[in-house]
Amino acid sequence: MKHNLEGGNSFAFICDDINELEHSAQLDLPRVSVVMPLKGFGEHNLQNWRSQITSLYGGPLEFLFLVESIDDPAYHAVSKLISEFKDSVDAKIIVAGLSTTCSQKIHNQLVGVERMHKDSKYVLFLDDDVRLHPGSIGALTKEMEKNPDIFIQTGYPLDLPSGSLGSYCIYEYHMPCSMGFATGGKTFFLWGGCMMMHAEDFRKDLYGVVSGLRDGGYSDDMTLAAIAGQHKRLISSPPVAVFPHPLASDLSFPRYWNYLRKQTFVLESYISKVNWLMNRALFSSHCYLSWAFVFPYFMAMTHLAAALRAPYSDSLLKETSASCSGLTLAGCLFICTILELASMWNLTKVEIYLCNLLSPEGPRVSLGSYNWGLVFIAMLVDNLLYPISATRSHFTQSINWSGIRYHLKNGKISKIERSKEYGSNLTDLGGKHLYGKRLSPPKASFLSSLSRSLAQWHQPKKYDS
């Protein structure tokens, strides 16, 4: 991208070859339906939704926002946003109703698939906390067109911590997802926040993608990843599919804990015996590796305490010899810690630089906002708590997800309870209001005007449906 920009291609953030922006080339682009299940409304949602519907994709494009009811604060917020853009984008909000056999998110996604345009070739599932780049949909579609063997195209989040320990724990938890970029695009990591698939796979229920999700499905990404693994289908990620993911400014530690519980709970859901075995292997290996990461720090603290005690010991020679060996090991651990933090710093730096290149019109992301002392503490806390959370999930077989309590039996949702008493009025990451008064988005700003101009530039009228 940098080379193309220096070569005079001002639109390198959209495509490598500027000739792809010719009208004749744009006419051949396939139709894409973007399905976005919504739940609640929070501080970053409006900006995220604008980044999604102002995509500079030149082909036929529709946006389907799904809510469970008109009482959801997201309904009124997104309705107002859609009215701002009027006929410049093809966007609509759909009331999906309450789920009865699967998670509410999956239910909303499947309703969106049923309502998508009959000529759509690809369907893109996005979470409402994803901040897209102007060329993201085009990049994902280009890869799907280039390689028809791709079953699922995905991307990964770049968490932007808000300053609390809970937000840094989530940043640290998501960082291993970036390993997908080190495998040449082929990966088994699947992030449910961004998934592009062939629309025909859902129309034909290929490999049971619809029935597998609908009949007791809890996690969309884990279920689809299991289907892809079982049938040896390709999951891929283009190198530009990294998206800024701002976390709530008031993300408390209890909300992080509930998020971790929700993430470990997915290992209790499965759709086949093979999937169950894979989840048990992930459960065991992750628990082992997490505590194997934490315990050396406890040992290092013990060695340091012994070294401080040695001068006051009666057997000075013996204590000094033992403490020297312990301090050597503690020194090695310190060097390894510095290398790990440096690696995370470098990876984050590269991803931030890429995000700023991909969104030249958007707010700049800065590496200077990261507190690396809190990153280190988050690594210890996250790896210490993961086995505890996973074990609790295994024995409880129930979880509160955005105010809804799901109960599992034989890997599938068997019971759904809806009551405000099961959780707070806020979701875990975005600080989104789930209940209470209906929130309205802030007044239009310069960013709003710019977003509308971008939308009108690439899509001057709605496509016939």
Side-chain angles (χ1 to χ4, degrees):
M1 285 182 59
K2 186 177 179 181
H3 175 74
N4 289 336
L5 286 170
E6 292 172 349
N9 180 6
S10 301
F11 296 99
F13 65 98
I14 301 176
C15 57
D16 296 331
D17 185 359
I18 198 170
N19 292 324
E20 294 177 9
L21 296 178
E22 293 286 344
H23 182 66
S24 56
Q26 298 285 296
L27 287 175
D28 295 331
L29 293 175
R31 176 179 285 274
V32 177
S33 293
V34 183
V35 175
M36 290 168 282
L38 308 181
K39 181 73 173 180
F41 178 71
E43 58 184 299
H44 300 298
N45 281 134
L46 202 59
Q47 186 175 359
N48 295 336
W49 295 339
R50 279 203 177 98
S51 74
Q52 293 169 357
I53 66 176
T54 55
S55 169
L56 298 184
Y57 179 67
L61 187 62
E62 67 172 346
F63 299 89
L64 306 176
F65 294 89
L66 285 299
V67 296
E68 65 179 44
S69 72
I70 61 173
D71 294 326
D72 191 314
Y75 178 86
H76 301 277
V78 78
S79 295
K80 186 170 183 179
L81 177 64
I82 291 175
S83 66
E84 286 183 28
F85 289 88
K86 296 181 179 179
D87 293 335
S88 59
V89 295
D90 183 2
K92 60 177 71 75
I93 185 168
I94 300 171
V95 178
L98 301 180
S99 64
T100 56
T101 62
C102 59
S103 68
Q104 186 65 47
K105 178 185 178 182
I106 289 177
H107 173 74
N108 289 8
Q109 289 173 325
L110 294 180
V111 171
V113 167
E114 291 175 358
R115 299 284 295 273
M116 68 181 174
H117 196 282
K118 61 181 178 64
D119 294 329
S120 290
K121 186 174 182 180
Y122 302 111
V123 56
L124 174 61
F125 298 106
L126 292 177
D127 280 355
D128 59 0
D129 54 0
V130 174
R131 186 175 297 175
L132 283 188
H133 307 293
S136 293
I137 296 179
L140 292 168
T141 305
K142 182 179 179 180
E143 292 297 319
M144 296 289 282
E145 290 285 281
K146 186 188 304 182
N147 185 0
D149 291 333
I150 295 176
F151 183 56
I152 305 174
Q153 189 93 241
T154 190
Y156 302 107
L158 170 61
D159 288 323
L160 306 178
S162 58
S164 66
L165 177 59
S167 65
Y168 278 98
C169 287
I170 291 170
Y171 159 77
E172 190 278 333
Y173 179 84
H174 281 157
M175 280 303 288
C177 291
S178 300
M179 287 192 297
F181 294 116
T183 58
K186 297 181 180 179
T187 179
F188 61 89
F189 285 106
L190 181 58
W191 181 48
C194 174
M195 302 184 298
M196 176 175 277
M197 300 181 64
H198 296 270
E200 201 64 22
D201 291 350
F202 285 89
R203 297 189 182 105
K204 295 180 178 179
D205 193 16
L206 183 68
Y207 307 130
V209 292
V210 174
S211 55
L213 291 169
R214 181 191 59 220
D215 300 334
Y218 166 74
S219 171
D220 54 336
D221 48 7
M222 290 293 286
T223 300
L224 292 172
I227 292 174
Q230 181 179 352
H231 297 279
K232 296 180 173 56
R233 295 301 307 273
L234 176 63
I235 299 176
S236 179
S237 176
V240 295
V242 54
F243 310 107
H245 185 223
L247 301 174
S249 58
D250 59 345
L251 201 158
S252 62
F253 194 81
R255 278 159 59 191
Y256 153 71
W257 168 250
N258 194 59
Y259 175 77
L260 183 62
R261 286 269 291 112
K262 187 175 71 175
Q263 295 302 303
T264 58
F265 191 71
V266 301
L267 297 179
E268 302 305 316
S269 64
Y270 53 89
I271 61 173
S272 65
K273 185 68 174 179
V274 174
N275 189 198
W276 179 83
L277 290 172
M278 290 178 60
N279 284 359
R280 296 278 64 81
L282 284 172
F283 176 94
S284 303
S285 59
H286 205 151
C287 288
Y288 171 78
L289 292 173
S290 291
W291 276 359
F293 175 86
V294 173
F295 281 165
Y297 289 96
F298 286 103
M299 296 302 298
M301 291 174 62
T302 303
H303 289 310
L304 289 173
L308 293 174
R309 176 184 177 276
Y312 307 100
S313 174
D314 293 335
S315 52
L316 180 61
L317 182 61
K318 183 178 180 181
E319 290 280 356
T320 302
S321 176
S323 62
C324 286
S325 300
L327 288 177
T328 301
L329 295 176
C332 293
L333 180 62
F334 175 78
I335 294 173
C336 291
T337 301
I338 296 300
L339 290 174
E340 181 172 13
L341 289 173
S343 298
M344 292 182 67
W345 176 85
N346 185 64
L347 176 58
T348 304
K349 178 184 176 182
V350 172
E351 291 186 0
I352 285 177
Y353 179 69
L354 177 59
C355 285
N356 287 332
L357 282 180
L358 291 169
S359 292
E361 86 298 343
R364 311 300 287 175
V365 183
S366 172
L367 185 66
S369 62
Y370 287 76
N371 184 324
W372 294 99
L374 278 178
V375 170
F376 170 68
I377 296 174
M379 288 193 298
L380 295 178
V381 171
D382 197 51
N383 284 285
L384 176 65
L385 293 181
Y386 185 93
I388 299 173
S389 175
T391 302
R392 182 177 176 184
S393 297
H394 177 70
F395 286 105
T396 59
Q397 292 292 299
S398 69
I399 189 68
N400 166 48
W401 185 358
S402 297
I404 305 174
R405 182 160 292 277
Y406 299 100
H407 299 265
L408 292 184
K409 184 176 181 180
N410 297 325
K412 298 182 180 295
I413 291 177
S414 61
K415 184 180 179 182
I416 301 175
E417 297 176 329
R418 289 179 170 85
S419 175
K420 294 182 182 180
E421 68 185 46
Y422 290 123
S424 68
N425 289 342
L426 299 174
T427 56
D428 307 315
L429 300 189
K432 298 181 294 180
H433 289 261
L434 303 177
Y435 316 111
K437 69 177 183 178
R438 297 164 181 172
L439 301 178
S440 297
K443 294 181 179 180
S445 60
F446 171 74
L447 182 60
S448 172
S449 302
L450 179 61
S451 299
R452 189 183 298 106
S453 300
L454 288 172
Q456 292 172 345
W457 176 62
H458 97 282
Q459 204 169 357
K461 65 179 182 178
K462 292 174 65 175
Y463 288 87
D464 296 332
S465 58

